[in-house]
Amino acid sequence: MTMNGPQSTIPFPAYTQTKNSYDVDLNAIQTSGLSKIITRDVQRSAWSGTIAEASPSPDSREKSTTIFPLRGNVYPDGLYYVVARLGNPAREYFLDMDTGSDLTWLQCDAPCSNCAKGPHPLYIPRKGNLVDCSHATCTSVQAGTKFACDNGVGQCDYEVMYADGGYSLGVLVEDQMTMILSNRSWGHTKAVIGCAYNQQGSLAKSPTSTDGVLGLSSSIVSLPSQLAQQGIIKNIFAHCISGDVGGGGYLFLGDKLLPSHGITWAPLVGKPAAKNYMVTVQDVYYGDYSIQTGSRGFGTVIFDSGSSYTYLTPSLYAKLTFAIQNSLAGNGFQRDMTDKTLPFCWKYDITNSKLKDAVQNLKPLVFEFKSSGWFSKASKMHLSPEGYLIVNSKGNVCLGLLDGKVLDSDGLNIIGDISMRGNLVIYDNENSRIGWMKMDCRKLPTAAVPSPST
């Protein structure tokens, strides 16, 4: 649900309205990959020095945890992405970390009818990588779309739609994924991904910061679900987005690095039908004051790492922005109507002060989520002003809360990256719950740094 707001080699003809016009000649697929292998030293990642690359190890069926460094920031990049290694030999790609997306996909030379200029050369599938319609993943990917496999045979085509109107069209392939495990070794597995040869809307804008999307929803086609089905991990993952100016952080798939205590949990709603991570909002506070939005209530909140900012229902947004403007009035802040970075930006000289000092008159924003039982306490998520503000290139302070009416979805709120910074956010698909706790996201949990003898 991302909101942030190449060359012909293999004969996968681009989609036209006639389905049979884009069948693939498997015999014509090249067996050679890219001529240049791009690598990065993991010691130069977001947690410099805490993980060292090791020699590849055989696949293991023992449940483990795989780790990805995060790069990016809320502003100005507007996204966080992982460094993924795909193919054999493994080649590096940048994938937008998106808990609102089902399918992991890469821009692909199949050939590409419309691809944006990305950070790496286009992914080239090898002969035999095409996923057939008989594959169980194909049925799930095509559900509810205009695509349908004829007689259960042939290539599996798909289309992914995004909230901003953009879409990606392609065909499913299965390829090797190489991952860093928590015991410092390499792990290898097969993963079904999308070979995306036609991007439209925002996805087609060049240049782009990423090569594709890492799908982390609860769908059976998401990467965590695929790894869980193979017995590699439990269907649990977490990300920790750094609140530092430089951004970064980490993502891990599996439960081996979870803290033993200190996590606040809230039950997910709409499961198993809903693939997003959605909770019911019981109340919202600005400081100690409950914000009343009428008898219709607050609706639900989706935790979406594919959204840069946090979106609120129109009624909640109007009352919060009124309260925030009143808090800033007469305290050195002046609304800058010429600044179009975000709807609300204020001039304030923060050259010699930190944001937390500049906004000391603002109050925390608190989401109170419905508990799982009658006698359970409600779960609260506290957002300091840093959890809903940015400082832009002009030095202005801007509000990272946006009006949800642009999403055209009644009663829906979205907690985006800006409000998840400085927290470890845990998505527990085994127990249909989501959790969070304050965390220094510049450093991995100590469990990820075993002794040299392990």
Side-chain angles (χ1 to χ4, degrees):
M1 192 167 174
T2 302
M3 298 284 295
N4 53 324
Q7 310 300 320
S8 180
T9 309
I10 305 168
F12 292 0
Y15 171 75
T16 65
Q17 294 301 318
T18 305
K19 182 181 187 300
N20 292 331
S21 67
Y22 53 93
D23 290 337
V24 176
D25 180 2
L26 292 175
N27 294 324
I29 297 180
Q30 288 187 354
T31 57
S32 60
L34 302 176
S35 59
K36 181 179 180 182
I37 300 176
I38 306 173
T39 60
R40 291 278 193 274
D41 183 351
V42 177
Q43 291 183 340
R44 293 196 298 270
S45 69
W47 54 79
S48 178
T50 60
I51 292 288
E53 292 190 350
S55 299
S57 63
D59 288 348
S60 172
R61 301 298 292 181
E62 180 183 358
K63 288 183 173 62
S64 184
T65 291
T66 181
I67 309 161
F68 296 89
L70 281 183
R71 301 177 186 177
N73 49 67
V74 171
Y75 180 84
D77 293 344
L79 81 166
Y80 290 84
Y81 60 92
V82 302
V83 182
R85 292 172 172 85
L86 289 159
N88 186 15
R91 291 166 177 89
E92 186 176 274
Y93 301 96
F94 295 164
L95 300 180
D96 187 350
M97 179 185 72
D98 192 357
T99 58
S101 285
D102 298 343
L103 182 67
T104 296
W105 59 264
L106 282 168
Q107 291 200 122
C108 177
D109 199 352
C112 188
S113 63
N114 196 45
C115 285
K117 174 69 174 176
H120 297 105
L122 294 178
Y123 168 79
I124 301 178
R126 298 166 62 107
K127 182 177 180 179
N129 281 12
L130 273 176
V131 170
D132 189 79
C133 285
S134 60
H135 198 292
T137 305
C138 183
T139 302
S140 179
V141 169
Q142 291 186 341
T145 71
K146 59 191 173 187
F147 295 103
C149 287
D150 295 333
N151 303 317
V153 295
Q155 70 187 52
C156 183
D157 304 287
Y158 72 89
E159 183 178 42
V160 179
M161 304 293 295
Y162 290 91
D164 62 1
Y167 71 83
S168 179
L169 187 74
V171 61
L172 290 189
V173 297
E174 187 175 44
D175 209 342
Q176 178 173 284
M177 175 171 280
T178 302
M179 303 169 291
I180 307 169
L181 302 179
S182 55
N183 64 1
R184 293 185 175 184
S185 67
W186 287 113
H188 309 283
T189 190
K190 291 286 187 179
V192 174
I193 63 172
C195 166
Y197 55 73
N198 185 359
Q199 279 61 250
Q200 297 296 328
S202 61
L203 299 174
K205 294 180 180 178
S206 290
T208 181
S209 302
T210 60
D211 302 293
V213 170
L214 180 67
L216 296 171
S217 77
S218 63
S219 165
I220 65 170
V221 305
S222 72
L223 183 60
S225 295
Q226 289 192 50
L227 297 184
Q229 290 163 21
Q230 296 176 47
I232 297 172
I233 64 169
K234 287 187 176 180
N235 200 344
I236 298 170
F237 69 94
H239 60 67
C240 201
I241 299 173
S242 176
D244 290 350
V245 176
Y250 57 85
L251 163 74
F252 61 78
L253 309 182
D255 67 330
K256 297 300 184 182
L257 301 182
L258 288 181
S260 58
H261 61 277
I263 302 172
T264 301
W265 294 102
L268 294 169
V269 297
K271 299 299 179 184
K275 307 309 177 187
N276 291 317
Y277 299 99
M278 186 165 53
V279 294
T280 300
V281 184
Q282 185 167 291
D283 209 341
V284 179
Y285 296 84
Y286 181 62
D288 296 329
Y289 299 97
S290 173
I291 298 175
Q292 301 297 326
T293 59
S295 60
R296 301 190 68 182
F298 296 93
T300 55
V301 159
I302 290 177
F303 284 73
D304 183 14
S305 66
S307 294
S308 307
Y309 300 106
T310 291
Y311 292 79
L312 305 173
T313 57
S315 178
L316 178 55
Y317 177 76
K319 294 192 175 186
L320 265 179
T321 52
F322 179 78
I324 290 171
Q325 289 185 87
N326 283 343
S327 297
L328 294 178
N331 290 294
F333 288 85
Q334 181 181 356
R335 180 85 178 272
D336 186 352
M337 303 298 292
T338 66
D339 192 337
K340 303 302 181 183
T341 303
L342 288 167
F344 287 91
C345 291
W346 296 270
K347 292 180 180 179
Y348 187 85
D349 184 7
I350 62 168
T351 305
N352 298 312
S353 65
K354 296 180 180 179
L355 178 60
K356 65 180 180 180
D357 299 324
V359 296
Q360 56 185 335
N361 294 303
L362 291 175
K363 298 176 173 60
L365 179 60
V366 181
F367 285 91
E368 185 176 270
F369 302 121
K370 189 175 181 180
S371 63
S372 56
W374 287 103
F375 302 105
S376 302
K377 290 185 178 181
S379 303
K380 292 184 178 181
M381 186 175 193
H382 296 257
L383 305 182
S384 67
E386 291 88 349
Y388 57 83
L389 295 170
I390 64 162
V391 177
N392 68 9
S393 58
K394 293 183 176 182
N396 286 346
V397 176
C398 297
L399 183 64
L401 303 176
L402 300 178
D403 193 338
K405 68 182 180 183
V406 300
L407 303 178
D408 194 28
S409 183
D410 191 32
L412 176 66
N413 303 278
I414 292 178
I415 290 182
D417 292 333
I418 188 171
S419 301
M420 292 191 278
R421 294 179 299 176
N423 286 281
L424 180 69
V425 182
I426 306 105
Y427 304 80
D428 184 353
N429 289 306
E430 300 280 343
N431 300 292
S432 293
R433 60 181 181 171
I434 190 167
W436 58 88
M437 66 180 295
K438 293 295 182 183
M439 185 73 70
D440 182 354
C441 300
R442 297 170 299 178
K443 300 178 181 179
L444 276 173
T446 54
V449 192
S451 64
S453 61
T454 59

